[in-house]
Amino acid sequence: MEYTKKTLTPIKDILAEILESRTSPLGQGLYPILRIWEQVMGRPVAEHARPVSFKDAVLKVSVTDPVWMQELTYREPEIKEKLDLALGRDIVRKIVFRMGY
């Protein structure tokens, strides 16, 4: 009997593929947004605001203080547009900002 060595795929690659899949419910959740957040928002914003949940097209973002909450609330339409563009589809219907970073 001949032994053939099978190559193993790292679990991180398998999970990334599942989480990034547009057909997987997991790929339509928070993970894709987390992956692009700093790139889309820039480091200064990302240091003061982070996505914490995404359900029913509503993104909840935790912010460090009231000043950032006010600024980001004002910029919500721009942020939604940037996220949708980066994700390649209309996915975010509303963004809710909350204190508690």
Coordinates of all heavy atoms in Angstrom, one line a residue:
M1 N 0.8 -1.2 0.0 CA 0.0 0.0 0.0 C 0.9 1.2 0.0 O 1.8 1.4 0.8 CB -0.9 0.0 1.2 CG -1.8 1.2 1.4 SD -2.8 1.1 2.8 CE -4.3 0.6 2.0
E2 N 0.6 2.1 -0.9 CA 1.4 3.4 -1.0 C 0.8 4.5 -0.2 O -0.4 4.7 -0.1 CB 1.4 3.8 -2.5 CG 2.4 5.0 -2.7 CD 2.4 5.3 -4.2 OE1 2.4 4.4 -5.0 OE2 2.5 6.5 -4.4
Y3 N 1.6 5.1 0.6 CA 1.2 6.2 1.4 C 1.3 7.6 0.7 O 2.4 7.8 0.1 CB 2.1 6.3 2.7 CG 1.8 7.4 3.6 CD1 0.7 7.4 4.4 CD2 2.6 8.5 3.6 CE1 0.4 8.5 5.2 CE2 2.3 9.6 4.4 CZ 1.2 9.6 5.3 OH 1.0 10.7 6.1
T4 N 0.3 8.3 0.6 CA 0.3 9.7 0.0 C 0.1 10.7 1.1 O -0.8 10.6 1.9 CB -0.8 9.8 -1.0 OG1 -2.0 9.6 -0.5 CG2 -0.5 8.9 -2.2
K5 N 1.0 11.6 1.1 CA 1.0 12.7 2.1 C -0.1 13.8 1.7 O 0.0 14.3 0.6 CB 2.3 13.3 2.3 CG 2.3 14.4 3.4 CD 3.7 15.0 3.5 CE 3.7 16.1 4.5 NZ 5.0 16.8 4.7
K6 N -1.0 14.0 2.5 CA -2.0 15.1 2.2 C -1.5 16.3 2.9 O -1.0 16.3 4.0 CB -3.4 14.7 2.7 CG -3.9 13.5 2.0 CD -5.3 13.2 2.6 CE -5.9 11.9 1.9 NZ -7.2 11.6 2.3
T7 N -1.8 17.4 2.2 CA -1.4 18.7 2.8 C -2.6 19.2 3.6 O -3.7 19.1 3.3 CB -1.0 19.8 1.7 OG1 -2.2 19.9 0.9 CG2 0.2 19.3 0.9
L8 N -2.2 19.7 4.7 CA -3.2 20.3 5.6 C -3.4 21.8 5.4 O -2.4 22.5 5.2 CB -2.9 20.0 7.1 CG -2.7 18.5 7.5 CD1 -2.2 18.4 8.9 CD2 -4.1 17.8 7.3
T9 N -4.6 22.2 5.5 CA -4.9 23.7 5.4 C -5.0 24.3 6.8 O -5.7 23.7 7.6 CB -6.2 23.9 4.7 OG1 -6.1 23.3 3.4 CG2 -6.4 25.4 4.4
P10 N -4.2 25.3 7.1 CA -4.3 25.9 8.4 C -5.7 26.4 8.7 O -6.4 26.9 7.9 CB -3.3 27.1 8.3 CG -2.4 26.8 7.2 CD -3.3 26.0 6.2
I11 N -6.1 26.2 10.0 CA -7.5 26.6 10.4 C -7.8 28.0 10.2 O -8.9 28.4 9.8 CB -7.7 26.1 11.9 CG1 -9.2 26.3 12.2 CG2 -6.9 27.0 12.8 CD1 -10.1 25.2 11.6
K12 N -6.7 28.9 10.3 CA -7.0 30.3 10.1 C -7.4 30.6 8.6 O -8.2 31.5 8.4 CB -5.7 31.2 10.5 CG -4.6 31.0 9.6 CD -3.4 31.9 10.0 CE -2.2 31.8 9.1 NZ -2.3 32.6 7.9
D13 N -6.8 29.8 7.7 CA -7.2 30.0 6.3 C -8.7 29.5 6.0 O -9.4 30.1 5.3 CB -6.3 29.2 5.4 CG -4.9 29.8 5.4 OD1 -4.7 31.0 5.9 OD2 -3.9 29.1 4.9
I14 N -9.0 28.4 6.7 CA -10.4 27.9 6.5 C -11.4 28.9 7.1 O -12.4 29.2 6.5 CB -10.5 26.5 7.2 CG1 -9.6 25.5 6.5 CG2 -12.0 26.1 7.2 CD1 -9.5 24.2 7.2
L15 N -11.1 29.4 8.3 CA -12.0 30.3 8.9 C -12.1 31.6 8.2 O -13.2 32.2 8.0 CB -11.6 30.6 10.4 CG -11.8 29.5 11.4 CD1 -11.2 29.8 12.7 CD2 -13.2 29.1 11.5
A16 N -11.0 32.1 7.7 CA -11.0 33.4 6.9 C -11.9 33.2 5.6 O -12.7 34.1 5.3 CB -9.6 33.8 6.5
E17 N -11.8 32.0 5.0 CA -12.6 31.8 3.8 C -14.1 31.7 4.1 O -14.9 32.3 3.4 CB -12.2 30.4 3.2 CG -12.8 30.2 1.8 CD -12.3 28.9 1.2 OE1 -11.1 28.6 1.3 OE2 -13.2 28.2 0.5
I18 N -14.4 31.1 5.2 CA -15.8 31.0 5.6 C -16.3 32.4 6.0 O -17.4 32.8 5.6 CB -16.0 30.1 6.8 CG1 -15.8 28.6 6.4 CG2 -17.4 30.2 7.5 CD1 -15.7 27.7 7.5
L19 N -15.6 33.2 6.8 CA -16.0 34.5 7.3 C -16.1 35.5 6.2 O -16.8 36.5 6.3 CB -15.1 34.9 8.4 CG -15.2 34.1 9.7 CD1 -14.1 34.5 10.7 CD2 -16.6 34.2 10.3
E20 N -15.3 35.3 5.1 CA -15.3 36.3 4.0 C -16.3 35.9 2.9 O -16.5 36.7 2.0 CB -13.9 36.4 3.5 CG -12.9 37.1 4.4 CD -11.5 37.1 3.9 OE1 -11.2 36.5 2.9 OE2 -10.7 37.7 4.6
S21 N -16.9 34.8 3.0 CA -17.8 34.3 2.0 C -19.1 35.1 2.0 O -19.7 35.3 3.0 CB -18.1 32.8 2.2 OG -19.2 32.5 1.4
R22 N -19.5 35.6 0.8 CA -20.7 36.4 0.8 C -21.9 35.5 0.9 O -23.0 36.0 1.1 CB -20.7 37.2 -0.6 CG -19.7 38.2 -0.6 CD -19.8 39.0 -1.9 NE -18.7 40.0 -1.9 CZ -18.7 41.0 -2.8 NH1 -19.7 41.2 -3.6 NH2 -17.7 41.9 -2.7
T23 N -21.8 34.2 0.7 CA -22.9 33.3 0.8 C -23.1 32.8 2.2 O -24.2 32.3 2.6 CB -22.8 32.2 -0.2 OG1 -21.6 31.5 0.1 CG2 -22.9 32.7 -1.6
S24 N -22.1 32.9 3.0 CA -22.1 32.4 4.4 C -22.8 33.5 5.3 O -22.4 34.7 5.2 CB -20.7 32.1 4.9 OG -20.7 32.0 6.3
P25 N -23.7 33.1 6.2 CA -24.2 34.1 7.1 C -23.1 34.8 7.9 O -23.2 35.9 8.3 CB -25.1 33.3 8.0 CG -25.4 32.0 7.3 CD -24.2 31.8 6.4
L26 N -22.0 34.0 8.2 CA -20.9 34.6 9.0 C -20.2 35.6 8.2 O -19.7 36.6 8.7 CB -20.0 33.5 9.4 CG -20.5 32.5 10.4 CD1 -19.5 31.3 10.6 CD2 -20.9 33.1 11.7
G27 N -20.1 35.5 6.9 CA -19.5 36.4 6.0 C -20.2 37.7 5.8 O -19.8 38.6 5.2
Q28 N -21.5 37.7 6.2 CA -22.3 38.9 6.1 C -22.4 39.6 7.4 O -23.2 40.5 7.5 CB -23.7 38.5 5.5 CG -23.6 37.9 4.2 CD -24.9 37.3 3.7 OE1 -26.0 37.6 4.3 NE2 -24.9 36.6 2.6
G29 N -21.6 39.2 8.4 CA -21.7 39.8 9.7 C -20.6 40.8 10.0 O -20.2 41.6 9.1
L30 N -20.2 40.8 11.2 CA -19.2 41.8 11.6 C -17.8 41.6 11.1 O -17.1 42.6 10.9 CB -19.2 41.8 13.2 CG -18.4 42.8 13.9 CD1 -18.8 44.2 13.6 CD2 -18.4 42.6 15.4
Y31 N -17.4 40.4 10.9 CA -16.0 40.1 10.5 C -15.5 40.9 9.3 O -14.4 41.5 9.4 CB -15.8 38.6 10.3 CG -14.4 38.2 10.0 CD1 -13.4 38.2 11.0 CD2 -14.0 37.9 8.7 CE1 -12.1 37.9 10.7 CE2 -12.7 37.6 8.4 CZ -11.8 37.6 9.4 OH -10.5 37.3 9.1
P32 N -16.2 40.9 8.2 CA -15.7 41.7 7.1 C -15.5 43.2 7.4 O -14.6 43.8 6.9 CB -16.8 41.5 6.0 CG -17.5 40.2 6.4 CD -17.4 40.2 7.9
I33 N -16.4 43.7 8.2 CA -16.3 45.1 8.6 C -15.1 45.3 9.5 O -14.4 46.3 9.3 CB -17.6 45.6 9.3 CG1 -18.8 45.5 8.3 CG2 -17.5 47.0 9.9 CD1 -20.1 45.7 8.9
L34 N -14.9 44.4 10.4 CA -13.7 44.6 11.3 C -12.4 44.5 10.5 O -11.4 45.3 10.8 CB -13.6 43.4 12.3 CG -14.7 43.5 13.4 CD1 -14.7 42.2 14.3 CD2 -14.4 44.7 14.3
R35 N -12.3 43.7 9.4 CA -11.1 43.6 8.6 C -10.8 44.9 7.9 O -9.6 45.2 7.7 CB -11.3 42.5 7.6 CG -11.2 41.1 8.3 CD -10.9 40.0 7.4 NE -9.8 40.4 6.5 CZ -9.1 39.6 5.8 NH1 -9.3 38.3 5.9 NH2 -8.2 40.0 5.0
I36 N -11.8 45.7 7.5 CA -11.5 46.9 6.7 C -11.6 48.2 7.5 O -11.4 49.2 7.0 CB -12.4 46.9 5.5 CG1 -13.9 47.1 5.9 CG2 -12.2 45.8 4.6 CD1 -14.8 47.5 4.8
W37 N -12.1 48.1 8.8 CA -12.4 49.3 9.6 C -11.3 50.3 9.6 O -11.5 51.5 9.2 CB -12.8 48.9 11.0 CG -13.2 50.0 11.8 CD1 -12.5 50.6 12.8 CD2 -14.5 50.7 11.7 NE1 -13.2 51.6 13.4 CE2 -14.4 51.7 12.7 CE3 -15.6 50.6 10.9 CZ2 -15.5 52.6 12.9 CZ3 -16.6 51.5 11.1 CH2 -16.6 52.5 12.1
E38 N -10.1 49.9 10.0 CA -9.0 50.9 10.1 C -8.6 51.4 8.7 O -8.3 52.6 8.6 CB -7.8 50.3 10.8 CG -6.7 51.3 11.0 CD -5.5 50.8 11.8 OE1 -5.7 49.8 12.5 OE2 -4.4 51.4 11.7
Q39 N -8.6 50.6 7.7 CA -8.2 51.1 6.4 C -9.3 52.1 5.9 O -8.9 53.1 5.3 CB -8.2 49.9 5.4 CG -8.0 50.2 4.0 CD -8.2 49.0 3.1 OE1 -8.3 47.9 3.5 NE2 -8.2 49.3 1.8
V40 N -10.5 51.8 6.1 CA -11.6 52.7 5.6 C -11.7 54.0 6.5 O -11.8 55.1 5.9 CB -12.9 52.0 5.6 CG1 -14.1 53.0 5.4 CG2 -13.0 50.9 4.6
M41 N -11.6 53.9 7.8 CA -11.8 55.0 8.7 C -10.5 55.8 9.0 O -10.6 56.9 9.3 CB -12.4 54.5 10.0 CG -13.7 53.8 9.9 SD -14.9 54.8 9.0 CE -15.0 56.2 10.0
G42 N -9.4 55.2 8.8 CA -8.1 55.8 9.2 C -7.7 55.5 10.6 O -8.6 55.3 11.5
R43 N -6.5 55.5 10.9 CA -6.0 55.2 12.3 C -6.6 56.1 13.4 O -7.0 55.6 14.4 CB -4.5 55.2 12.3 CG -3.9 54.8 13.7 CD -2.4 54.6 13.7 NE -2.1 53.5 12.8 CZ -1.8 52.3 13.2 NH1 -1.8 52.0 14.5 NH2 -1.4 51.4 12.3
P44 N -6.6 57.4 13.2 CA -7.1 58.2 14.3 C -8.6 57.9 14.7 O -8.9 57.8 15.9 CB -7.1 59.7 13.7 CG -6.0 59.6 12.7 CD -6.1 58.2 12.1
V45 N -9.4 57.6 13.7 CA -10.8 57.2 14.1 C -10.8 55.8 14.7 O -11.5 55.6 15.7 CB -11.7 57.3 12.8 CG1 -13.1 56.8 13.1 CG2 -11.8 58.8 12.3
A46 N -10.1 54.9 14.1 CA -10.1 53.5 14.5 C -9.6 53.4 16.0 O -9.9 52.5 16.7 CB -9.2 52.7 13.6
E47 N -8.7 54.4 16.4 CA -8.3 54.3 17.8 C -9.3 54.8 18.8 O -9.2 54.5 20.0 CB -7.0 55.2 17.9 CG -5.8 54.7 17.3 CD -4.6 55.6 17.3 OE1 -4.7 56.8 17.7 OE2 -3.5 55.1 16.9
H48 N -10.4 55.4 18.3 CA -11.4 55.9 19.2 C -12.8 55.3 18.9 O -13.7 55.6 19.7 CB -11.5 57.5 19.0 CG -10.3 58.2 19.5 ND1 -10.1 58.4 20.8 CD2 -9.2 58.6 18.8 CE1 -8.9 59.0 21.0 NE2 -8.4 59.2 19.8
A49 N -12.9 54.5 17.9 CA -14.2 53.9 17.6 C -14.0 52.5 17.0 O -13.1 52.3 16.2 CB -15.0 54.8 16.6
R50 N -14.8 51.6 17.4 CA -14.7 50.2 16.9 C -16.0 49.6 16.7 O -16.9 49.7 17.6 CB -13.7 49.4 17.7 CG -14.3 49.0 19.0 CD -13.4 48.1 19.8 NE -13.9 48.1 21.2 CZ -13.5 47.2 22.1 NH1 -12.6 46.3 21.8 NH2 -14.0 47.2 23.3
P51 N -16.2 48.8 15.7 CA -17.5 48.1 15.5 C -17.6 47.0 16.6 O -16.6 46.3 16.8 CB -17.4 47.5 14.1 CG -16.3 48.3 13.4 CD -15.4 48.7 14.5
V52 N -18.8 46.8 17.2 CA -18.9 45.8 18.2 C -20.0 44.8 17.8 O -20.0 43.7 18.3 CB -19.2 46.4 19.6 CG1 -18.0 47.1 20.1 CG2 -20.4 47.3 19.5
S53 N -20.9 45.2 16.9 CA -21.9 44.2 16.4 C -22.5 44.7 15.1 O -22.5 45.9 14.8 CB -23.0 44.0 17.5 OG -23.9 45.1 17.5
F54 N -23.0 43.7 14.4 CA -23.7 44.0 13.1 C -24.8 43.0 12.9 O -24.6 41.8 12.8 CB -22.7 43.9 11.9 CG -23.3 44.2 10.6 CD1 -23.6 45.6 10.4 CD2 -23.6 43.3 9.7 CE1 -24.2 45.9 9.1 CE2 -24.1 43.6 8.4 CZ -24.4 44.9 8.2
K55 N -26.0 43.5 12.9 CA -27.2 42.6 12.8 C -28.3 43.4 12.1 O -28.5 44.6 12.4 CB -27.7 42.2 14.2 CG -28.8 41.2 14.2 CD -29.2 40.7 15.6 CE -30.3 39.8 15.5 NZ -30.7 39.3 16.8
D56 N -29.0 42.7 11.2 CA -30.1 43.3 10.5 C -29.7 44.6 9.8 O -30.4 45.6 9.8 CB -31.3 43.5 11.4 CG -31.9 42.2 11.9 OD1 -31.8 41.2 11.2 OD2 -32.4 42.3 13.1
A57 N -28.5 44.7 9.3 CA -27.9 45.8 8.5 C -27.6 47.0 9.4 O -27.4 48.1 8.9 CB -28.8 46.2 7.3
V58 N -27.7 46.8 10.7 CA -27.4 47.9 11.7 C -26.0 47.6 12.3 O -25.8 46.6 13.0 CB -28.5 48.0 12.8 CG1 -28.1 49.1 13.8 CG2 -29.8 48.3 12.1
L59 N -25.1 48.5 12.1 CA -23.7 48.4 12.7 C -23.7 49.2 14.0 O -24.1 50.4 14.0 CB -22.7 49.0 11.7 CG -21.3 49.0 12.2 CD1 -20.8 47.6 12.4 CD2 -20.4 49.7 11.1
K60 N -23.3 48.6 15.0 CA -23.1 49.3 16.3 C -21.7 49.5 16.6 O -20.9 48.6 16.4 CB -23.8 48.5 17.5 CG -25.3 48.4 17.4 CD -25.9 47.7 18.5 CE -27.4 47.6 18.3 NZ -28.0 46.8 19.3
V61 N -21.3 50.7 16.9 CA -19.9 51.2 17.0 C -19.8 51.8 18.4 O -20.5 52.6 18.8 CB -19.5 52.2 16.0 CG1 -18.1 52.7 16.2 CG2 -19.7 51.6 14.6
S62 N -18.8 51.3 19.1 CA -18.4 51.8 20.5 C -17.4 52.9 20.3 O -16.4 52.7 19.6 CB -17.9 50.6 21.3 OG -17.6 51.1 22.6
V63 N -17.6 54.0 21.0 CA -16.7 55.1 20.9 C -16.1 55.5 22.3 O -16.7 55.2 23.3 CB -17.3 56.4 20.2 CG1 -17.7 56.1 18.8 CG2 -18.5 56.8 21.0
T64 N -15.0 56.2 22.3 CA -14.3 56.5 23.5 C -14.8 57.7 24.3 O -14.7 57.7 25.5 CB -12.8 56.8 23.2 OG1 -12.7 57.9 22.3 CG2 -12.1 55.6 22.7
D65 N -15.4 58.6 23.6 CA -15.9 59.8 24.3 C -17.0 60.5 23.5 O -17.2 60.2 22.3 CB -14.8 60.7 24.7 CG -14.1 61.3 23.5 OD1 -14.7 62.0 22.7 OD2 -12.8 61.0 23.4
P66 N -17.7 61.4 24.2 CA -18.9 62.1 23.5 C -18.5 62.9 22.3 O -19.3 63.1 21.3 CB -19.4 63.0 24.6 CG -18.9 62.5 25.9 CD -17.6 61.8 25.6
V67 N -17.3 63.5 22.3 CA -16.8 64.3 21.1 C -16.8 63.4 19.9 O -17.2 63.8 18.8 CB -15.5 65.0 21.4 CG1 -15.0 65.7 20.2 CG2 -15.6 65.9 22.6
W68 N -16.2 62.2 20.0 CA -16.1 61.3 18.9 C -17.5 60.8 18.5 O -17.8 60.6 17.3 CB -15.2 60.1 19.2 CG -13.7 60.5 19.0 CD1 -12.8 60.7 19.9 CD2 -13.1 60.6 17.7 NE1 -11.6 61.0 19.3 CE2 -11.7 61.0 18.0 CE3 -13.5 60.5 16.4 CZ2 -10.8 61.2 17.0 CZ3 -12.5 60.7 15.4 CH2 -11.2 61.0 15.7
M69 N -18.3 60.6 19.5 CA -19.7 60.1 19.2 C -20.4 61.2 18.3 O -21.1 60.8 17.3 CB -20.5 59.8 20.4 CG -21.8 59.1 20.1 SD -22.5 58.3 21.5 CE -23.0 59.7 22.5
Q70 N -20.3 62.4 18.7 CA -20.9 63.5 18.0 C -20.4 63.6 16.5 O -21.1 63.7 15.6 CB -20.8 64.8 18.7 CG -21.5 66.0 18.0 CD -21.5 67.2 18.8 OE1 -20.9 67.3 19.9 NE2 -22.0 68.3 18.2
E71 N -19.1 63.6 16.4 CA -18.4 63.7 15.1 C -18.8 62.6 14.2 O -19.1 62.8 13.0 CB -16.9 63.7 15.3 CG -16.1 63.6 14.0 CD -16.2 64.9 13.1 OE1 -16.6 66.0 13.6 OE2 -15.9 64.8 11.9
L72 N -18.8 61.3 14.7 CA -19.1 60.2 13.9 C -20.6 60.1 13.5 O -20.9 59.7 12.4 CB -18.6 58.9 14.5 CG -17.1 58.8 14.7 CD1 -16.7 57.6 15.5 CD2 -16.4 58.9 13.3
T73 N -21.4 60.5 14.4 CA -22.9 60.6 14.2 C -23.1 61.5 13.0 O -23.9 61.2 12.1 CB -23.7 61.0 15.4 OG1 -23.4 60.0 16.4 CG2 -25.1 61.1 15.1
Y74 N -22.4 62.7 13.0 CA -22.6 63.7 11.9 C -22.1 63.1 10.6 O -22.7 63.4 9.6 CB -21.8 64.9 12.3 CG -21.7 65.9 11.2 CD1 -22.8 66.8 11.0 CD2 -20.6 66.1 10.5 CE1 -22.7 67.7 10.0 CE2 -20.5 67.1 9.5 CZ -21.6 67.9 9.2 OH -21.5 68.8 8.2
R75 N -21.1 62.2 10.7 CA -20.5 61.7 9.5 C -21.1 60.3 9.1 O -20.6 59.6 8.2 CB -19.0 61.5 9.6 CG -18.2 62.8 9.8 CD -16.8 62.6 10.0 NE -16.1 61.7 9.1 CZ -14.9 61.2 9.3 NH1 -14.2 61.5 10.3 NH2 -14.4 60.3 8.4
E76 N -22.2 59.9 9.7 CA -22.7 58.6 9.4 C -23.0 58.3 7.9 O -22.6 57.2 7.5 CB -24.0 58.4 10.2 CG -24.7 57.0 10.0 CD -26.1 56.8 10.5 OE1 -26.6 57.8 11.1 OE2 -26.6 55.7 10.4
P77 N -23.6 59.2 7.2 CA -23.9 58.9 5.8 C -22.6 58.6 5.0 O -22.5 57.7 4.2 CB -24.6 60.1 5.2 CG -25.2 60.8 6.4 CD -24.2 60.5 7.6
E78 N -21.5 59.4 5.3 CA -20.2 59.2 4.6 C -19.6 57.9 5.0 O -19.0 57.2 4.2 CB -19.3 60.4 5.1 CG -17.9 60.2 4.6 CD -16.9 61.2 5.3 OE1 -17.4 62.1 6.0 OE2 -15.7 60.9 5.3
I79 N -19.7 57.5 6.3 CA -19.1 56.3 6.8 C -19.8 55.1 6.1 O -19.2 54.1 5.7 CB -19.2 56.2 8.3 CG1 -18.3 57.3 8.9 CG2 -18.8 54.8 8.8 CD1 -18.5 57.5 10.4
K80 N -21.2 55.1 6.1 CA -21.9 54.0 5.4 C -21.5 53.9 4.0 O -21.3 52.8 3.5 CB -23.4 54.3 5.5 CG -24.0 54.1 6.8 CD -25.6 54.2 6.9 CE -26.1 55.3 6.0 NZ -27.6 55.5 6.2
E81 N -21.4 55.0 3.3 CA -21.0 54.9 1.9 C -19.6 54.3 1.7 O -19.4 53.5 0.9 CB -21.0 56.4 1.3 CG -20.7 56.4 -0.2 CD -20.8 57.8 -0.7 OE1 -21.6 58.6 -0.3 OE2 -20.0 58.1 -1.6
K82 N -18.6 54.7 2.6 CA -17.3 54.2 2.5 C -17.2 52.7 2.8 O -16.5 52.0 2.1 CB -16.3 54.9 3.5 CG -15.9 56.3 3.1 CD -15.0 56.9 4.1 CE -14.4 58.2 3.7 NZ -13.4 58.7 4.7
L83 N -18.0 52.3 3.8 CA -18.0 50.9 4.1 C -18.6 50.0 3.0 O -18.1 49.0 2.6 CB -18.8 50.6 5.4 CG -18.1 51.1 6.7 CD1 -19.0 51.0 7.9 CD2 -16.8 50.3 7.0
D84 N -19.7 50.5 2.5 CA -20.4 49.8 1.4 C -19.5 49.7 0.2 O -19.4 48.6 -0.5 CB -21.7 50.4 1.0 CG -22.8 50.2 2.1 OD1 -22.7 49.3 2.9 OD2 -23.8 50.9 2.0
L85 N -18.8 50.8 -0.1 CA -17.9 50.8 -1.3 C -16.7 49.8 -1.0 O -16.4 49.0 -1.9 CB -17.3 52.2 -1.5 CG -16.4 52.4 -2.7 CD1 -17.2 52.1 -4.0 CD2 -15.9 53.8 -2.7
A86 N -16.2 49.8 0.1 CA -15.0 48.9 0.5 C -15.5 47.4 0.5 O -14.7 46.5 0.1 CB -14.4 49.3 1.8
L87 N -16.7 47.2 0.9 CA -17.2 45.8 0.9 C -17.8 45.3 -0.4 O -18.1 44.2 -0.6 CB -18.3 45.7 2.0 CG -17.8 45.9 3.5 CD1 -19.0 46.1 4.4 CD2 -17.0 44.7 3.9
G88 N -18.0 46.3 -1.3 CA -18.4 45.9 -2.6 C -19.9 45.6 -2.7 O -20.4 45.0 -3.7
R89 N -20.7 46.1 -1.7 CA -22.1 45.9 -1.8 C -22.8 46.8 -0.7 O -22.1 47.2 0.2 CB -22.5 44.4 -1.5 CG -22.1 43.9 -0.2 CD -22.2 42.4 -0.2 NE -22.0 41.8 1.1 CZ -20.8 41.4 1.6 NH1 -19.7 41.6 0.9 NH2 -20.7 40.9 2.8
D90 N -24.1 47.0 -0.9 CA -24.8 47.8 0.1 C -25.2 46.9 1.2 O -26.0 46.0 1.1 CB -26.1 48.4 -0.5 CG -25.8 49.5 -1.5 OD1 -24.7 50.1 -1.4 OD2 -26.7 49.7 -2.4
I91 N -24.5 47.1 2.3 CA -24.7 46.2 3.5 C -25.1 46.9 4.7 O -25.9 46.4 5.5 CB -23.4 45.3 3.7 CG1 -23.6 44.2 4.7 CG2 -22.3 46.2 4.1 CD1 -22.5 43.3 4.8
V92 N -24.7 48.1 4.9 CA -24.9 48.9 6.1 C -26.1 49.8 5.9 O -26.0 50.7 5.1 CB -23.7 49.7 6.6 CG1 -24.0 50.5 7.9 CG2 -22.5 48.8 6.8
R93 N -27.2 49.6 6.6 CA -28.4 50.5 6.5 C -28.3 51.6 7.5 O -28.7 52.8 7.2 CB -29.7 49.7 6.7 CG -30.9 50.5 6.7 CD -32.2 49.6 6.8 NE -32.1 48.7 7.9 CZ -32.5 49.0 9.2 NH1 -32.8 50.2 9.5 NH2 -32.4 48.1 10.1
K94 N -27.8 51.4 8.7 CA -27.7 52.4 9.8 C -26.5 52.1 10.6 O -26.1 50.9 10.8 CB -29.0 52.3 10.6 CG -29.1 53.3 11.7 CD -30.4 53.2 12.4 CE -30.5 54.2 13.5 NZ -31.8 54.3 14.2
I95 N -26.0 53.1 11.2 CA -24.9 53.0 12.2 C -25.3 53.7 13.5 O -25.8 54.8 13.5 CB -23.6 53.7 11.7 CG1 -23.2 53.1 10.4 CG2 -22.5 53.5 12.7 CD1 -21.9 53.8 9.7
V96 N -25.2 52.9 14.6 CA -25.5 53.4 15.9 C -24.2 53.6 16.7 O -23.5 52.6 16.8 CB -26.5 52.5 16.6 CG1 -26.8 53.0 18.0 CG2 -27.8 52.3 15.8
F97 N -24.0 54.7 17.2 CA -22.8 55.0 18.0 C -23.1 55.0 19.5 O -24.1 55.7 19.9 CB -22.1 56.3 17.6 CG -21.7 56.3 16.1 CD1 -22.5 56.9 15.2 CD2 -20.5 55.7 15.7 CE1 -22.1 56.8 13.8 CE2 -20.1 55.7 14.4 CZ -20.9 56.3 13.5
R98 N -22.3 54.3 20.3 CA -22.5 54.3 21.7 C -21.2 54.5 22.5 O -20.2 54.1 22.0 CB -23.1 52.9 22.1 CG -24.4 52.6 21.5 CD -25.5 53.2 22.3 NE -26.8 52.8 21.9 CZ -27.7 53.6 21.2 NH1 -27.4 54.8 21.0 NH2 -28.8 53.1 20.9
M99 N -21.3 55.0 23.7 CA -20.1 55.2 24.5 C -19.8 53.9 25.1 O -20.7 53.0 25.3 CB -20.5 56.2 25.6 CG -20.7 57.6 25.2 SD -19.2 58.3 24.7 CE -18.2 58.2 26.1
G100 N -18.5 53.7 25.4 CA -18.1 52.5 26.1 C -17.0 51.7 25.5 O -16.9 50.5 25.6
Y101 N -16.1 52.4 24.9 CA -14.9 51.7 24.2 C -14.0 51.1 25.3 O -13.8 51.6 26.3 CB -14.1 52.8 23.4 CG -13.2 52.2 22.5 CD1 -13.6 51.8 21.2 CD2 -11.8 52.1 22.8 CE1 -12.7 51.3 20.3 CE2 -10.9 51.6 21.9 CZ -11.3 51.2 20.7 OH -10.4 50.7 19.8

